[in-house]
Amino acid sequence: MHLRPIRVALAALVLWSGAAGSAWADYPDKPIRLVVPYAAGGGVDNISRVVATELGARLKQSVVIENRGGANGNIGTEYVARAAPDGYTVLMGATYLGFNRATMANLPYDAAKDLQPVARTGRAPFVLVVPATTAIHDVAGLVAWMKANPDKASYGAVGAGSPTNLLFPQNTGTKPVQVLYKGGSAALPDLLAGRLTFMIPTASEVVPLVESGKLRALAVTGSERFHRLPDVPTMGEAGVPNLELIGWWGMFAPAGTPQPAVKKLSDAIQAVMAQPNVIEALNKLGVEAAPMPTQAFTAFYNQELKTYADVARQFGLKVE
């Protein structure tokens, strides 16, 4: 006797689902804003511009870059986290999301709850580099020099709690002095001049300097060698364990963005990142095209958040 109400309810559900799907059939029907939480000309911005051009062509709508820099990415990220979840305001996020959440207190957004991972775009390892003028040619030589010269060893860092920067001294039994900078571009001149012993920035920041002979790469993070530096060993190969974190970039939408919009963006990004011209353009920037669709990227992102949180607890890094 209850079959008729059930059938009516099911029919209504089917009609509602169809209407919801058809409402997004024409998405996007206006330009999409891709917020870059850093200034123009930096690594995140350069990668975003490569992706935006081809993504716009594929979606048949403009993807407009909007730079909202400041507070180590937090200003632009908060803007997207608070934006309408309609698929028309998205973020080019990166490794900083995990780092900031783990080390900064009282952030105005929660990177785990306020953002919807859409798709990963690229990745690059961190690279241990020293000035090319130094007599140090490998990791063992660097470690030996730092142990022999503990009062002279130093490294440049952007943010006090970068896990790679903290784990490398711990895992090698060294105690270099950390020198903080507002950005990699501010630190590199001191490294080139020999005022710093080493740095461990992302490959996209230093590959051109390594290839031009101004810096010497001693090792890369990750579980495999980097294609732009095939002769440079991984940290593991160089005898330094547990340094497999890599830098990455990916697109995020505000939490609550409808899944049809998320899927359409993700599918388009997968196609764009497979294009030879995009792969080549990113390669020139020292970045490997490494797309991940929404589900895989979400799992990857959640693991990244956990890893950064674990390191922050290990070193007592939460900043008030």
Side-chain angles (χ1 to χ4, degrees), residues 62-75:
S62 298
V63 177
V64 181
I65 299 289
E66 188 171 310
N67 295 94
R68 288 179 173 264
N72 197 27
N74 288 326
I75 291 176

Side-chain angles (χ1 to χ4, degrees), residues 8-98:
V8 170
L10 287 174
L13 179 60
V14 169
L15 287 172
W16 179 86
S17 299
S22 62
W24 290 93
D26 295 329
Y27 170 84
D29 59 7
K30 63 181 180 180
I32 294 172
R33 289 186 298 172
L34 176 55
V35 174
V36 175
Y38 290 95
V44 179
D45 181 71
N46 291 336
I47 293 161
S48 298
R49 291 182 188 278
V50 171
V51 174
T53 299
E54 298 298 332
L55 184 61
R58 188 157 195 93
L59 293 173
K60 297 181 173 58
Q61 280 291 342
S62 298
V63 177
V64 181
I65 299 289
E66 188 171 310
N67 295 94
R68 288 179 173 264
N72 197 27
N74 288 326
I75 291 176
T77 302
E78 181 190 4
Y79 178 79
V80 174
R82 302 287 174 249
D86 58 7
Y88 290 97
T89 302
V90 293
L91 172 77
M92 184 59 79
T95 318
Y96 76 87
L97 288 168

Side-chain angles (χ1 to χ4, degrees), residues 70-133:
N72 197 27
N74 288 326
I75 291 176
T77 302
E78 181 190 4
Y79 178 79
V80 174
R82 302 287 174 249
D86 58 7
Y88 290 97
T89 302
V90 293
L91 172 77
M92 184 59 79
T95 318
Y96 76 87
L97 288 168
F99 170 79
N100 288 359
R101 184 173 186 266
T103 61
M104 296 181 180
N106 304 315
L107 286 177
Y109 66 92
D110 187 338
K113 298 178 181 179
D114 297 335
L115 297 172
Q116 163 66 59
V118 174
R120 194 176 74 174
T121 53
R123 66 180 180 181
F126 297 99
V127 185
L128 171 60
V129 287
V130 296
T133 53

Side-chain angles (χ1 to χ4, degrees), residues 248-265:
W248 54 265
W249 298 262
M251 185 177 288
F252 293 80
T257 298
Q259 285 306 301
V262 172
K263 185 177 188 308
K264 194 160 188 178
L265 285 172

Side-chain angles (χ1 to χ4, degrees), residues 172-300:
T172 57
T174 57
K175 296 182 179 180
V177 174
Q178 182 184 78
V179 182
L180 292 176
Y181 295 84
K182 291 184 177 180
S185 60
L188 285 170
D190 282 349
L191 180 66
L192 290 165
R195 291 187 287 270
L196 296 171
T197 307
F198 70 91
M199 281 181 63
I200 315 179
T202 56
S204 58
E205 295 180 80
V206 293
V207 163
L209 293 170
V210 172
E211 293 179 338
S212 67
K214 295 179 180 178
L215 291 177
R216 181 177 299 134
L218 304 185
V220 299
T221 64
S223 58
E224 57 190 28
R225 295 192 179 195
F226 186 47
H227 68 285
R228 282 289 295 273
L229 302 170
D231 296 329
V232 178
T234 65
M235 288 283 193
E237 290 173 330
V240 184
N242 302 321
L243 277 174
E244 297 190 348
L245 284 172
I246 59 169
W248 54 265
W249 298 262
M251 185 177 288
F252 293 80
T257 298
Q259 285 306 301
V262 172
K263 185 177 188 308
K264 194 160 188 178
L265 285 172
S266 179
D267 290 347
I269 290 171
Q270 305 312 299
V272 164
M273 303 314 295
Q275 294 177 195
N277 62 316
V278 171
I279 293 171
E280 181 180 0
L282 291 183
N283 184 54
K284 289 180 179 178
L285 295 173
V287 175
E288 178 187 358
M292 273 186 177
T294 301
Q295 186 173 358
F297 181 44
T298 299
F300 170 85

